[in-house]
Amino acid sequence: LIDAIRKFGLRDGAPAYVAHCPMAFDGKGADWLQQGTEISNPYFGAAMPRCGDIVDTIEAAAAP
């Protein structure tokens, strides 16, 4: 999904943030999309909800 949004973009609205947790999947790491810049880790949930960093911002493009 992240690759598709990078390729085709977002329509009007807020940007999407790509977040990364280096500890997910036994240290292999994982990325996810989220709204806002406060980390909300879907892989560790209540145990470590703020584990991760924003690694990219995908801006919304104005409608033609």
Side-chain angles (χ1 to χ4, degrees):
L1 182 58
I2 294 171
D3 289 338
I5 290 176
R6 283 186 175 130
K7 182 175 182 176
F8 298 108
L10 295 168
R11 297 291 306 239
D12 296 325
Y17 297 95
V18 180
H20 178 79
C21 175
M23 296 174 54
F25 300 107
D26 294 321
K28 294 177 186 172
D31 295 337
W32 69 92
L33 287 170
Q34 65 175 45
Q35 295 179 324
T37 57
E38 184 176 327
I39 295 294
S40 181
N41 189 322
Y43 297 103
F44 287 102
M48 296 172 50
R50 302 293 175 241
C51 177
D53 295 298
I54 300 296
V55 295
D56 196 11
T57 301
I58 303 172
E59 297 289 345

